[in-house]
Structures are given as structure tokens and as C-alpha cells.
Amino acid sequence: MLASALMCNSKYQENQAHKQCNEILERLISLLPEQTKGFVQEGSTNQEGAYLEVKEISCIGILEIPLIEEAWPVQSEYEDGKYMPKCESGSAESGNLVIKDSLRGGLFRSISVLNEGMEVRFTDIWGEVYTYNIVSVSEKANRSSDGDLVLVTQNRYTGNEKRIYLDSV
């Protein structure tokens, strides 16, 4: 009975995460050409820390995987990451961006089918598109970031992380 209730709650959270993520994504896509509405954190010398506020969520851009036709808005590191992927650290501009899956939604579940060489794109709030290829996948959470982009998925039940390392094309 308890397992059934947990499954229902888990499904509800996943549905809520997908719904909120899609709403933010649609709005973010419509705002990207309006580049004047981006904000840069005080004290920042480059685009690291820049965000665009969408429905009261600070977003740094859009992550896309063309082959599986998936796209997600990415929250800034200042958000909670509850329902959307979140910037854990770095920036696309500096070549050390780390994006972690949402805490509740398991949105990156579909990226488990990705293989080395596959293309991933990140579009920042200024409309700059960064293209990456997967170079390796690691099940070790403590490995340091050695890609220009690192995608982090986490199993909500076990806490195990998978890291996908990508290099710029």
C-alpha cells in the first residue's frame, strides 16, 4: 500500500515538473530574441551569472538534444532546481557549464539513450548557441568536471549520479 502511494506521489511530481518545465520553455523561447531583458549578476565581468526572468524563475538558457527531440529551460544556480534542470556551476561562455537534472521530475531520464558522439546544444539568453558532442559517461559522482559541458542525472531513490561529459564542437 505504501509503495503504491509513493508511486502515485512520484508520478504526480513528475507530471508537475514536466508541466512547469514546458510552460517556462515556451515562454523562454518567445523571449530569447528580446535580448535586452537579460540581467547580469552584480560584479560579473562576463555573461556568467546572466539570466532572463521567466514567470519569476531566473533562466540561463535552453538545453536541447536534437536527436531525441528534447529541450529544457535551465534555471540559474540561484534557483532551487525543484522542477527544472539547474545550472550547478560555470557558464557556456567559459566552457565549464554543469547542468543538473531537476530534483523532482527526472526530466533527464530520456538522456540515458545517449551515446558518445551525439550532439547536444545550449542556447544562452543572448541567443548564442553552443554545440557539444558527448565524449564519455561516468557513474562516479566524485569525478571532476573535465568537459566543456557536464550533464548530471540523479536517481531520486538511490541518490546515484550519472555524469555525461561533452566537449565543444
Side-chain angles (χ1 to χ4, degrees):
M1 181 79 159
L2 180 58
S4 177
L6 288 174
M7 286 288 279
C8 288
N9 189 33
S10 175
K11 272 292 187 209
Y12 174 77
Q13 288 179 345
E14 284 182 25
N15 289 338
Q16 288 299 102
H18 285 281
K19 180 181 176 189
Q20 182 172 1
C21 196
N22 286 335
E23 288 173 2
I24 298 285
L25 180 63
E26 285 179 25
R27 183 74 178 127
L28 183 58
I29 288 171
S30 72
L31 290 174
L32 280 181
E34 300 175 24
Q35 297 171 12
T36 58
K37 292 191 178 186
F39 301 96
V40 177
Q41 289 297 110
E42 192 172 318
S44 180
T45 57
N46 59 17
Q47 292 180 9
E48 191 165 328
Y51 65 91
L52 186 64
E53 197 164 299
V54 181
K55 294 188 172 198
E56 300 179 10
I57 301 286
S58 58
C59 298
I60 65 161
I62 298 171
L63 179 68
E64 296 176 85
I65 304 176
L67 186 66
I68 60 173
E69 297 178 350
E70 288 279 6
W72 303 273
V74 178
Q75 294 177 349
S76 76
E77 60 188 295
Y78 308 105
E79 295 291 339
D80 63 11
K82 193 185 300 185
Y83 293 110
M84 294 168 40
K86 173 185 175 176
C87 172
E88 192 170 81
S89 64
S91 73
E93 181 184 48
S94 60
N96 62 353
L97 181 60
V98 178
I99 298 174
K100 191 168 189 172
D101 195 1
S102 67
L103 295 175
R104 292 196 177 163
L107 299 171
F108 285 175
R109 186 170 325 157
S110 59
I111 69 174
S112 63
V113 299
L114 300 183
N115 297 313
E116 290 181 15
M118 292 179 76
E119 181 180 284
V120 174
R121 288 191 299 243
F122 179 78
T123 305
D124 68 17
I125 63 163
W126 314 108
E128 186 74 31
V129 178
Y130 298 86
T131 304
Y132 307 92
N133 282 337
I134 297 173
V135 291
S136 67
V137 177
S138 173
E139 299 289 334
K140 296 179 182 172
N142 60 353
R143 183 175 169 186
S144 65
S145 169
D146 63 354
D148 296 327
L149 172 66
V150 179
L151 303 179
V152 182
T153 65
Q154 185 172 16
N155 183 311
R156 291 187 341 197
Y157 305 108
T158 65
N160 295 339
E161 285 188 351
K162 181 194 304 188
R163 290 181 174 250
I164 300 173
Y165 297 87
L166 303 100
D167 282 336
S168 298
V169 174

